[in-house]
Amino acid sequence: MSSVDEPTGGGPALHVALHDGFEGWGVEVRVNGRDVYGKDEVWTDPRIGLADSIDVDTADRPATVEVRVPDLGITGSVTVVGRAMRYLGVSIEGGMLRFRQSAVPFGYA
């Protein structure tokens, strides 16, 4: 599976960023039931707090984003609604997935 789902011009892209806490585990991401990302080892770069990112064309519809980390047995999901919240950060904290929605791009050092 490709790690990037290129926007096709059908609407604004949803930017999903894997942030802190990824320490070499496999990660899978689905958007609206469709597999859009899968890697066997995902590592956070501690200098910038970013492991990887993906842009997904959601055709300006609500997007349900499901993230799975099978190695840890954790799954989480969130629904992003509206044009304003086009950025989604995902971190692993305390053995749980944490989601952060934003109207503006995330900054990395």
Side-chain angles (χ1 to χ4, degrees):
M1 171 185 340
S2 170
S3 65
V4 176
D5 184 23
E6 295 294 332
T8 60
L14 172 64
H15 182 79
V16 180
L18 304 177
H19 285 171
D20 295 310
F22 293 90
E23 299 180 4
W25 302 299
V27 177
E28 301 167 358
V29 179
R30 294 173 58 94
V31 176
N32 293 335
R34 185 170 54 104
D35 294 328
V36 296
Y37 178 93
K39 281 194 177 175
D40 292 334
E41 289 187 19
V42 178
W43 294 89
T44 298
D45 182 337
R47 297 169 297 169
I48 61 173
L50 178 67
D52 206 352
S53 64
I54 176 177
D55 291 315
V56 181
D57 187 347
T58 61
D60 204 24
R61 295 174 301 162
T64 299
V65 179
E66 178 184 350
V67 178
R68 293 184 63 235
V69 184
D71 297 332
L72 298 179
I74 58 176
T75 300
S77 66
V78 65
T79 299
V80 179
V81 179
R83 190 178 289 241
M85 303 305 266
R86 302 314 301 169
Y87 300 91
L88 179 66
V90 183
S91 296
I92 300 174
E93 298 175 12
M96 297 174 56
L97 288 166
R98 303 281 182 193
F99 295 92
R100 181 176 145 221
Q101 296 183 42
S102 178
V104 296
F106 298 107
Y108 303 104

